[in-house]
Amino acid sequence: MRGPNLISSWPGAAALLGAALGVWICATNAASPEVYIVRKNDSLSQIAQAHGVRVQELARANGLSLESTIYAGQRLQIPRPGRDEEPHNARTVTVRKNDSLTVIARRHRVSVAALARANGLSLDDVIRPGDKLRLPPAGPARPALETRVQKAIDTAPVRRGTWKQIVIHHSATPMATIRGMDEYHRMECKMENGLAYHFVIGNGQGIPDGRVEVANRWTKQLEGGHLSTRSQNLVSLGVCLVGHFDHHRPTPKQLASLHALLRALIKRCGLGPSAITTHQLASKRHTRCPGKFFDLKAVLAELRSD
Ligand SMILES: [Zn+2]
């Protein structure tokens, strides 16, 4: 969880006073952010790197964009990693006694899955009074599916009743490309239709983070190759997220894309959220796919809260 006094450590008053007087009141308090004076030929990314912060955080802490020009003599505040997050528009809440993620989500009218995701938590993680949580954006912040993908879903010749379930997999590799997976399934697994899945969602390694790749098996409405029996493959759409979720969680962008994709697929195929499952749950053979860090419950909870 975050450190204590996320908000109070921000010396907003001192900074404002300093700005009003035209001088910078030097940091006297240990919790104040460091100030760096820009030298000739410095760049935001160099400064960020030298201070061990992300360039986006550095830019945000100074009201800059990544494209902003900086000049010698300019004073930049160096954010403290993980503490001075979004000081100006912070939407953070402090966990109270008897709070749960569900209670907090309801209180702030956000979905529990989005709340968990915004804080890198799973639904089963324990939160304690005094913890600070970041609130996800309120309102209709659900990302839409890319037009390209929505169109592919709408125009495929889906016959109602064909698909009974949607099965989620991970690639069990740190990176993947469509070509590589397709070749592997064609050559090694001897599948004449190649790539075994209907959709693949990238993680930024080989396929851009959160990008939904639409495979031939979807556009041509071919049976899957992702389960061990033909009878299951005939009725099961396969969605593969690149990554190894026994080692790490899916990326937030992957989860957002998965949510949008599943929502569109259940609508198109006349299914409900209960048709969504994992390889491990669907398979008659033992498999750990898609890994212990893939949280199906959270995915379903978010779909049901739509
Ligand atoms: Zn699998």
Side-chain angles (χ1 to χ4, degrees):
M1 229 353 74
R2 316 235 173 268
N5 301 323
L6 175 71
I7 309 287
S8 61
S9 73
W10 183 256
L16 280 176
L17 186 57
L21 295 174
V23 295
W24 184 266
I25 294 182
C26 272
T28 50
N29 163 349
S32 297
E34 193 184 332
V35 174
Y36 175 80
I37 298 174
V38 176
R39 288 180 232 157
K40 209 177 152 194
N41 298 327
D42 272 346
S43 72
L44 273 184
S45 56
Q46 283 169 345
I47 298 169
Q49 205 175 8
H51 291 85
V53 297
R54 287 172 48 230
V55 64
Q56 292 86 347
E57 278 174 29
L58 176 64
R60 195 170 57 200
N62 291 279
L64 301 172
S65 80
L66 294 184
E67 284 77 40
S68 298
T69 315
I70 55 170
Y71 52 89
Q74 187 174 359
R75 288 163 188 275
L76 293 182
Q77 292 176 35
I78 308 296
R80 289 139 52 83
R83 300 197 71 179
D84 295 328
E85 289 169 51
E86 297 167 61
H88 297 296
N89 54 357
R91 293 229 316 145
T92 55
V93 292
T94 305
V95 177
R96 304 178 204 161
K97 203 176 158 196
N98 298 327
D99 267 355
S100 67
L101 283 179
T102 313
V103 168
I104 295 170
R106 206 170 291 148
R107 188 184 302 141
H108 295 279
R109 300 202 173 117
V110 296
S111 87
V112 63
L115 177 64
R117 204 164 61 207
N119 292 280
L121 299 172
S122 80
L123 291 186
D124 303 322
D125 281 344
V126 176
I127 54 172
R128 295 184 186 82
D131 284 350
K132 308 274 182 187
L133 292 184
R134 182 195 294 230
L135 289 180
R142 303 203 186 283
L145 207 53
E146 262 186 273
T147 316
R148 165 186 66 85
V149 180
Q150 186 66 58
K151 207 169 150 194
I153 288 175
D154 292 340
T155 55
V158 177
R159 272 179 298 119
R160 282 274 163 138
T162 303
W163 305 115
K164 307 275 190 238
Q165 62 178 358
I166 304 173
V167 182
I168 299 166
H169 303 256
H170 67 161
S171 68
T173 57
M175 64 90 64
T177 63
I178 293 298
R179 203 167 165 198
M181 290 171 118
D182 181 68
E183 276 179 15
Y184 181 79
H185 290 157
R186 213 174 277 278
M187 307 299 184
E188 301 292 324
C189 309
K190 310 283 182 230
M191 293 182 194
E192 58 175 331
N193 289 319
L195 185 63
Y197 311 108
H198 297 85
F199 297 91
V200 176
I201 304 178
N203 66 344
Q205 309 290 323
I207 299 169
D209 192 7
R211 180 181 166 91
V212 177
E213 296 281 9
V214 182
N216 272 341
R217 291 196 193 243
W218 172 260
T219 46
K220 297 185 180 154
Q221 290 293 289
L222 304 175
E223 66 189 75
H226 51 100
L227 296 171
S228 54
T229 66
R230 172 118 202 269
S231 59
Q232 278 198 304
N233 278 321
L234 280 171
V235 298
S236 305
L237 290 172
V239 176
C240 179
L241 282 70
V242 179
H244 198 314
F245 307 142
D246 260 331
H247 302 323
H248 56 84
R249 292 184 180 154
T251 71
K253 283 187 180 173
Q254 280 184 303
L255 289 174
S257 294
L258 178 66
H259 177 85
L261 176 64
L262 291 174
R263 196 168 31 153
L265 284 178
I266 55 179
K267 190 168 169 214
R268 180 74 174 103
C269 301
L271 301 169
S274 59
I276 297 165
T277 186
T278 62
H279 187 181
Q280 182 172 35
L281 292 173
S283 183
K284 295 179 170 64
R285 283 192 204 163
H286 175 74
T287 171
R288 297 167 61 87
C289 176
K292 64 184 176 198
F293 292 119
F294 182 83
D295 191 347
L296 179 67
K297 262 198 292 183
V299 170
L300 295 183
E302 192 166 9
L303 278 168
R304 290 196 170 105
S305 73
D306 273 355

